[in-house]
Amino acid sequence: MKIGYARVSTADQNLDMQRDALTRAGCEKIFEEKKSGKAGSKRPELEAALAYLRPEDVLVVWKLDRLGRSLVEMMRTIDKLRADGIKFRSLTEELDSESAQGRFFLQIHGAMAEYFLDLNRERTMEGLKAALARGRKGGRRPKLTEDDKKAARAMLAAGDISIAEIARRLGISRVTFYDYFPQARSKAQEGKL
């Protein structure tokens, strides 16, 4: 049985492309999550997929880095699968753990992915240092200005405008709205908004 695992790193990203590729590859069940793949992070759906697999099953991912960002972590997962009699396949890289060549390319590809991730991280840090030396701070600009936040608080206090409508008026998603106003999420769950 082919079991798929799809992951995107943020709630803003979409799983459709991975889901479609896994379905075309013949996956009968697909585990999906929106979680960071950085080393050491908890990924409950990956854990559920690994627990679901049985000998002779195949774990299929759209791309090797969906298993994680660390070469050690990826290879540990793939080695455990192999020890349990479970096959592994990555669609994008066309890697298959069944052959010696596939295992070799898995290791080479994983090492290269980790190398480029480290290079990118180093470049980002150097860029942030250079910007800081020029008096600029790194990071994204906030989605909401102080005036936007005041308007949102007023609309929340009024109590007659839904969270979805407030977010629409501010030009942000509900997820972003809840990032700014986490107390609104608990009130919405209680049915007060």
Side-chain angles (χ1 to χ4, degrees), residues 10-12 26 36 45 49 69-70 72 80 90 92 100 111-112 124 130-131 136 145 164 171 182:
T10 66
D12 298 355
S36 171
E45 289 300 312
R69 297 274 177 102
S70 157
V72 172
K80 181 171 178 356
S90 174
T92 303
M112 287 176 49
T124 300
R136 293 189 313 238
T145 64

Side-chain angles (χ1 to χ4, degrees), residues 8-26:
V8 291
S9 299
T10 66
D12 298 355
Q13 294 174 328
N14 192 312
L15 287 160
D16 291 345
M17 179 182 58
Q18 292 181 49
R19 187 182 305 119
D20 292 347
L22 292 169
T23 301
R24 280 192 306 274

Side-chain angles (χ1 to χ4, degrees), residues 163 174 178 182-193:
I163 298 294
R174 282 193 349 221
Y178 288 135
Q183 73 280 6
R185 181 185 303 265
S186 58
K187 288 181 183 176
Q189 289 171 341
E190 293 170 9
K192 294 181 181 176
L193 289 176

Side-chain angles (χ1 to χ4, degrees), residues 27-157:
C27 293
E28 297 175 42
K29 184 166 181 63
I30 299 173
F31 292 83
E32 303 174 355
E33 66 190 333
K34 296 185 177 190
K35 281 281 206 183
S36 171
K38 67 182 176 185
S41 62
K42 296 284 184 203
R43 287 164 290 160
E45 289 300 312
L46 176 59
E47 291 172 18
L50 295 174
Y52 186 85
L53 291 162
R54 299 293 173 253
E56 297 304 312
D57 284 349
V58 181
L59 177 63
V60 183
V61 295
W62 173 70
K63 197 170 182 182
L64 184 58
D65 68 359
R66 299 301 82 196
L67 282 183
R69 297 274 177 102
S70 157
L71 172 62
V72 172
E73 184 180 17
M74 284 188 282
M75 295 317 296
R76 191 177 296 140
T77 301
I78 293 168
D79 285 344
K80 181 171 178 356
L81 290 172
R82 202 170 76 209
D84 293 342
I86 298 165
K87 300 169 184 86
F88 173 77
R89 185 168 168 225
S90 174
L91 300 175
T92 303
E93 296 89 0
E94 297 182 21
L95 299 173
D96 189 335
S97 67
E98 280 300 284
S99 67
Q101 182 180 5
R103 287 188 299 278
F104 173 73
F105 282 114
L106 276 168
Q107 291 179 357
I108 295 297
H109 184 80
M112 287 176 49
E114 189 169 1
Y115 170 72
F116 285 114
L117 181 67
D118 287 343
L119 276 182
N120 191 32
R121 195 176 294 128
E122 287 174 9
R123 278 188 238 126
T124 300
M125 294 310 295
E126 290 303 317
L128 288 171
K129 286 178 190 174
L132 192 58
R134 290 177 177 77
R136 293 189 313 238
K137 230 187 214 181
R140 290 184 181 174
R141 289 194 173 102
K143 294 264 187 188
L144 298 180
T145 64
E146 285 304 316
D147 288 340
D148 292 334
K149 291 184 218 175
K150 286 178 189 174
R153 283 188 202 95
M155 288 186 267
L156 276 171

